[in-house]
Amino acid sequence: GAGVSQSPRYKVAKRGQDVALRCDPISGHVSLFWYQQALGQGPEFLTYFQNEAQLDKSGLPSDRFFAERPEGSVSTLKIQRTQQEDSAVYLCASSPGTANGYTFGSGTRLTVV
Amino acid sequence: RKEVEQDPGPFNVPEGATVAFNCTYSNSASQSFFWYRQDCRKEPKLLMSVYSSGNEDGRFTAQLNRASQYISLLIRDSKLSDSATYLCVFHGGATNKLIFGTGTLLAVQP
């Protein structure tokens, strides 16, 4: 596609519920990143894929967070047993590999009630 | 100490004013630096890269001071449409990720 597509755009989850957030990167982009942005803060790195390999998951805040990119294109970020502190905008970005080639999706706004 | 420090603002300036933002970083291995712009409820978008020699794009000028580990963004002749959050970003070291500051909110008043 022409840009990075994320779905759903908004998600309201009850505390304890599992959620799955989807990211469709730009076709051909080998690098894919997930970021978490809390209100009033800058985006915080969660995890990074190069093709299907998850090369860095140092930013995942707990073992309730899991990401995958099985075929090196679409990626899913899964959050198990959601908690209120998980409420944030989750941004996906893809890149052909260069530092200035990042394109961000519009994000998924997750609200845990 | 946070990896990137920015004054969160808000900076309230009249149209036509010149405004400058600074940002300090702690990772001396950082290789690349950027300013991103983020409008309310939108995704961040690259505004400009920052080079050691300084670079200009129209009304925007970015500078990097490696010795003091800070970057700056100068906006001349502010427009209402410049109102947004400006994020200081660096890339490099051993990782391939972008590290963002908290952002500086600019509000240009008519």
Side-chain angles (χ1 to χ4, degrees):
Chain A
V4 177
S5 177
Q6 290 189 246
S7 60
R9 188 76 174 88
Y10 302 93
K11 176 68 179 179
V12 178
K14 290 184 177 180
R15 193 172 57 176
Q17 188 179 352
D18 296 350
V19 298
L21 313 180
R22 177 188 169 101
C23 173
D24 271 285
I26 292 174
S27 179
H29 278 193
V30 299
S31 299
L32 184 145
F33 305 81
W34 283 99
Y35 285 81
Q36 178 191 59
Q37 187 171 23
L39 190 64
Q41 300 296 314
E44 295 277 350
F45 171 80
L46 293 177
T47 187
Y48 158 58
F49 290 86
Q50 185 170 308
N51 296 306
E52 69 279 4
Q54 189 175 20
L55 299 186
D56 187 347
K57 54 181 181 179
S58 62
L60 296 177
S62 77
D63 59 9
R64 295 186 297 103
F65 286 71
F66 171 77
E68 60 183 5
R69 192 186 186 197
E71 296 178 358
S73 56
V74 171
S75 176
T76 303
L77 176 66
K78 297 179 179 177
I79 309 173
Q80 297 177 322
R81 303 181 304 281
T82 52
Q83 300 178 7
Q84 281 193 311
E85 61 262 31
D86 299 335
S87 296
V89 175
Y90 290 85
L91 293 161
C92 175
S94 71
S95 164
T98 56
N100 61 349
Y102 280 57
T103 302
F104 280 84
S106 301
T108 294
R109 183 175 297 275
L110 173 65
T111 304
V112 181
V113 297
Chain B
R1 181 186 173 187
K2 285 189 174 180
E3 292 186 89
V4 184
E5 300 267 9
Q6 273 189 269
D7 181 345
F11 283 56
N12 295 300
V13 303
E15 270 187 291
T18 295
V19 60
F21 308 134
N22 289 324
C23 168
T24 59
Y25 61 95
S26 59
N27 186 347
S28 58
S30 301
Q31 298 296 317
S32 306
F33 303 86
F34 310 93
W35 284 99
Y36 273 67
R37 170 188 170 133
Q38 187 171 27
D39 292 289
C40 188
R41 294 183 170 268
K42 299 286 188 182
E43 71 275 21
K45 291 185 178 178
L46 177 65
L47 178 65
M48 59 195 304
S49 301
V50 187
Y51 304 115
S52 297
S53 55
N55 48 300
E56 191 172 306
D57 182 2
R59 297 181 293 107
F60 298 82
T61 301
Q63 291 195 312
L64 164 65
N65 185 319
R66 284 192 184 273
S68 300
Q69 294 186 204
Y70 79 83
I71 68 173
S72 64
L73 178 67
L74 183 77
I75 305 175
R76 292 181 299 278
D77 188 22
S78 300
K79 311 291 185 190
L80 294 176
S81 56
D82 294 334
S83 297
T85 295
Y86 290 84
L87 295 155
C88 165
V89 186
F90 73 87
H91 175 280
T95 67
N96 198 33
K97 60 191 178 190
L98 294 181
I99 305 295
F100 287 81
T102 55
T104 299
L105 179 62
L106 171 65
V108 181
Q109 317 285 345

